[in-house]
Amino acid sequence: MNCFKSANIKIAIATTLLTQIVSIAIPTTWQSVMPSAIALPGQTPDQVIDWIRTNPALRPENGERLLVRKSDTPSRRFQFQASVVLPGIAAIQKSDANLIRSEQIRFFDIINGVTRSRLEESLRSIYGPDIMRDYAMAKRVYAYPTAAMVQRSQAKNASPILSALQGELRQGKKYGYWVELLQNGKGSANSGQITVFELESLPKLEQELSNR
């Protein structure tokens, strides 16, 4: 019984910490203010700025526009960024440099660590059920590290980060999703990100990741 009670206490503490670091202090009246994503990749910066400003999960500070940062300690940080840059290696589509191409949620947390479920919960909190449903039903088109990537990471003068990066690309009906965690060598991760992007950028990003 004591073990069961202890487990429940740990779960409650973890849930509380998650809400705090998303710091993004989700209101207690969450059910009545569940966001509905109306500004996503493909929209103009002004549309996305307006959406960020009124998003009950993001709650930007004065002066924050396409980049929102939250931090309660140096060891726990949250960042949301909407960008005109295509995901992966920085590139801008010349035809439409005035449209948002990707939106990234990023966590760094040495205290509690970062998990896939935590990234997914932040996606749901910020974008609402429609985007979460698209993500959940999306098919996985690429996952890493691959055997070749691990082999390259073990080569002379290679970066060990290659084998520590764990992620995947998913193809939804509406958007593409890139999830990535940086493992710390202790069976967990202290940083991670989830990026929402236009489907047309999927081949570019998949090629870049496979060439790492």
Side-chain angles (χ1 to χ4, degrees):
M1 180 65 73
N2 288 337
C3 291
F4 180 73
K5 183 181 294 184
S6 176
N8 284 339
I9 292 174
K10 289 181 179 178
I11 292 173
I13 292 174
T15 302
T16 301
L17 290 172
L18 171 62
T19 302
Q20 290 175 345
I21 188 70
V22 177
S23 154
I24 79 180
I26 297 174
T28 54
T29 54
W30 175 247
Q31 295 299 326
S32 63
V33 294
M34 173 65 78
S36 178
I38 57 174
L40 283 154
Q43 300 283 339
T44 68
D46 285 343
Q47 288 174 306
V48 176
I49 288 170
D50 287 342
W51 171 72
I52 290 174
R53 185 182 300 119
T54 58
N55 190 292
L58 290 175
R59 294 187 174 186
E61 299 291 337
N62 290 334
E64 290 185 322
R65 294 164 61 80
L66 294 174
L67 175 62
V68 176
R69 291 192 178 104
K70 306 288 183 183
S71 177
D72 54 359
T73 69
S75 59
R76 299 204 309 173
R77 302 191 296 272
F78 165 86
Q79 176 179 297
F80 174 89
Q81 183 171 23
S83 176
V84 297
V85 176
L86 299 176
I89 297 175
I92 298 178
Q93 273 191 340
K94 295 179 181 179
S95 58
D96 268 318
N98 63 333
L99 294 177
I100 295 300
R101 295 302 181 187
S102 61
E103 295 177 358
Q104 184 184 79
I105 301 164
R106 180 178 292 275
F107 280 101
F108 175 75
D109 192 341
I110 293 179
I111 298 175
N112 305 297
V114 180
T115 62
R116 178 185 296 271
S117 61
R118 186 173 182 181
L119 291 170
E120 292 171 345
E121 174 59 23
S122 67
L123 183 74
R124 185 198 69 82
S125 299
I126 292 170
Y127 290 103
D130 289 343
I131 295 304
M132 188 61 210
R133 189 177 303 111
D134 188 56
Y135 168 84
M137 298 181 68
K139 66 177 181 179
R140 186 172 67 177
V141 296
Y142 182 73
Y144 57 93
T146 61
M149 190 180 291
V150 172
Q151 192 173 31
R152 288 197 297 272
S153 74
Q154 296 171 342
K156 185 177 180 180
N157 298 324
S159 172
I161 291 180
L162 278 178
S163 59
L165 288 172
Q166 184 182 80
E168 67 178 29
L169 290 178
R170 299 167 71 111
Q171 181 179 355
K173 289 186 176 181
K174 297 180 179 180
Y175 297 97
Y177 304 90
W178 175 21
V179 184
E180 183 175 80
L181 294 167
L182 178 58
Q183 301 297 310
N184 57 20
K186 301 177 182 178
S188 58
N190 295 128
S191 65
Q193 60 89 12
I194 183 166
T195 303
V196 184
F197 58 91
E198 295 173 301
L199 286 173
E200 62 188 50
S201 295
L202 189 59
K204 166 192 178 293
L205 184 54
E206 183 176 356
Q207 182 177 12
E208 290 173 1
L209 292 176
S210 62
N211 289 338
R212 276 178 168 176

